[in-house]
Amino acid sequence: MTAPHPGTPADPAPGPAAHTPGPPGTRHGAPPADAPPPGATPGGATRTAAPGTTPATLWRRGRGFLICLGILLVAAVTLAALTSGSRHGRLDPRSADPDGSRAVAELLQTRGVTTRVVTTAREAAAAAGPGTTLLVTDPDRLGESQLRAIRSAIDLSGGRTVLLAPGSPSLPDLAPAARTKGVAFDRDLDPGCALPAALSAGRAATGGDHRYTTDGATGTACYPSGGHPTLLVLPTGTTGGDTVLLGSETILLNKELASEGNASLALQLLGSRPDLVWYLPSIADAQDEDPAQERSFLDLLPRGWSWAFLQLFVAAALAALWRARRLGPLVTEKLPVAIRASETTEGRARLYRKADARDRAATVLRAAARERLAALVGVPPAQAHDPAALLPAVSGRLTERRQDLTALLFGTTPATDAALVALADHLDALEREVRTP
């Protein structure tokens, strides 16, 4: 058998004497190529429906992306937990952890210096005075209102203010005459100045972080690295007051206090007054912000989290591109095996016969014949299946009137296979007659 034209119905072969269609596009005997057979494929194999959008299908398609996203989330949470755990109690004078500062606080206590811990800039400014040393452990973390409060304490208290590793975000407000000048790569440095505290302490671990420079302001520059100091003492406007910029926090940590002259330098910088106000910036500082100043969600995130979210977004975008099925217009795929049209027609006809689907075959044959006849006699496709529109037009093209035209095109289901084959023959003969001028 030969195959029907794509999209054109073809005749089934329900019985042993299967009807053989003619050239493509001119026969009525085979079911259409796009007509679904009753649950089977040529050769007797069961047809499997195309996979739909089921949970199993969605999982197979997206499991790679979900697994990558899960790994990234677990890694981010683990890294955040490890980082937060390693900084627990960092620079806290009550903490005995390696990164805490309890050792220096106890040494100061033995020298008669009272240490008071505060967590807000308002408390720090209120406690500052001529007989106090105000230690700010993380100046770059302060907001605008906190910076103003600390700056006011520096200008009016007349005491000493020690800024621990201040950088570009805080220096313009707290020490306008100073600027950062890169990183001091050497950790342990020599005094290199005439400051009594530095000369007494000797070599200390003031490097590893910020270096500073001044705009011609008078001050004492110590522990230089590459020509720029890591310890800078600047006088304030109030008599007897000064501001100490310490480029590294290392000398205050429990684990480093016994190294070099760290303990001596820390005690002399923080113990020059009888009272020490140890300011640890905290979340409570946010309550001191101006209520009229609205802060966005990104402003509330800790530093570094925005970069983590950006990395996760880039990773998700790359995973989506990696898992994308197509990145361009759809194209027709080449079939791996070419099947002869006659084999497809014969196999489908056998399936119709095996399923005893004469009703389905007859319906397909008549519908395809009506559509082709409507095109030949000028009936619109929308009226091809309307007897009142199609039958008069077809009768006008016949040389002799057929009494069985209604039964042929709109009749009942053939009772036997032989009757189905006869129906296919009659439909074929009718179309040939209509085609003949």
Side-chain angles (χ1 to χ4, degrees), residues 13 25 98 116 120 122 125 131 138 156 198 207 210 236-238 241 244 247 253 266-267 273 330 366 402 435:
R116 175 185 174 187
T120 65
R122 182 177 302 174
D138 195 353
L156 302 177
H210 294 300
T236 60
T238 305
V244 178
L253 301 179
L267 292 176
R273 272 80 172 171
L330 301 178
R366 283 176 170 143
R402 289 176 177 262
R435 286 179 180 276

Side-chain angles (χ1 to χ4, degrees), residues 304-400:
W305 277 92
S306 56
W307 287 107
F309 282 126
L310 177 61
Q311 292 174 8
L312 289 176
F313 175 77
V314 172
L318 293 177
L321 291 175
W322 167 54
R323 295 295 298 172
R325 297 294 181 182
R326 293 182 176 92
L327 299 178
L330 301 178
V331 295
T332 303
E333 298 183 9
K334 295 182 179 180
L335 296 176
V337 178
I339 302 176
R340 297 180 61 184
S342 59
E343 296 179 4
T344 303
T345 304
E346 182 178 357
R348 182 167 291 184
R350 289 175 178 173
L351 291 173
Y352 275 109
R353 179 190 177 190
K354 183 178 181 180
D356 198 19
R358 286 188 295 273
D359 55 345
R360 171 65 177 168
T363 300
V364 170
L365 290 172
R366 283 176 170 143
R370 291 195 296 265
E371 293 174 359
R372 285 193 291 267
L373 288 172
L376 291 174
V377 299
V379 175
Q383 301 178 357
H385 305 290
D386 183 7
L390 181 64
L391 293 180
V394 173
S395 299
R397 298 287 294 271
L398 300 177
T399 56
E400 57 182 32

